[in-house]
Amino acid sequence: MPASDALSFLMAWTLAPLRLGSVTPSSSSLAALITREIGPETGPVLELGPGTGPFTRALLARGVREQDLTLIEADPDFASLLTRRFPAARIFEMDAVGLRHPPLFDSPVVGAAISGLPFRLMSPRKAFAILEGVFDALRPGAALYQYTLGSRCPFDLDRLDLEATRLGRTFRNFPPATVYKVSRIKTYDWRFS
């Protein structure tokens, strides 16, 4: 991680600590963990809160095409930085709550979503709105990959009929982080049994 990224992140955190949720950018260890199930076959990937781009770089290293990336970043300085670093990606300077109105995608085409958003610091209403927008964009079978600095998944899973699988924890991040794969609950349809 470039020292300038760490400084930019720390400065942004001092101005809005509840919006960033961490004092440093995510480590390469966390980036490797959160992107390990994603590759070129995944297709379009939605990234929420990319910050300085550690997960974005990991996605590119895994073979995801830059033009298949849609990055949602609320901080104008980070959005500008991302535009310079990843010119072929679709970058939107906006709050992730706006994913649904108007929708960024015409249909559920996204193969995976990755989130660096601090859901534990959000109101349940805001978190619910963001998750609705994400899962409206995800195609069937696709998942959201979320990290948290806490000990459990940061979502109210029942409200949206979601389930979470813990993918792992890395202590090589400051602070240590846990990654969850969140997907829709597979429902049993008795009509076809």
Side-chain angles (χ1 to χ4, degrees), residues 11-103:
M11 289 173 48
W13 180 82
T14 58
L15 295 173
L18 294 179
R19 192 176 73 211
L20 264 61
S22 179
V23 296
T24 62
S26 298
S27 69
S28 58
S29 174
L30 177 55
L33 178 60
I34 203 167
T35 61
R36 77 177 183 197
E37 293 186 351
I38 301 172
E41 69 287 348
T42 304
V45 176
L46 174 65
E47 186 178 352
L48 308 175
T52 58
F55 298 163
T56 313
R57 285 190 294 276
L59 288 166
L60 294 173
R62 293 204 179 274
V64 176
R65 298 178 328 150
E66 189 172 320
Q67 57 268 32
D68 282 342
L69 297 174
T70 300
L71 312 177
I72 308 299
E73 178 55 59
D75 184 278
D77 293 331
F78 288 156
S80 177
L81 175 72
L82 294 165
T83 301
R84 289 190 305 275
R85 286 187 177 169
F86 310 107
R90 290 179 22 164
I91 299 168
F92 294 91
E93 182 186 323
M94 61 184 271
D95 190 308
V97 171
L99 281 172
R100 294 184 65 210
H101 306 290

Side-chain angles (χ1 to χ4, degrees), residues 34 48 113-124 126-132 134-135 143-148 151-165 178-183:
I34 203 167
L48 308 175
I114 291 186
S115 172
L117 297 178
F119 278 95
R120 287 196 182 283
L121 302 176
M122 291 179 197
S123 71
K126 181 175 183 175
F128 180 77
I130 293 170
L131 290 172
E132 273 191 322
V134 169
F135 280 92
L144 164 67
Y145 296 85
Q146 174 70 44
Y147 85 91
T148 182
S151 59
R152 60 184 172 77
C153 187
F155 309 129
D156 178 5
L157 299 170
D158 295 333
R159 190 168 177 197
L160 282 172
D161 293 329
L162 301 175
E163 60 187 355
T165 305
T178 303
V179 173
Y180 288 90
K181 177 180 182 178
V182 182
S183 54

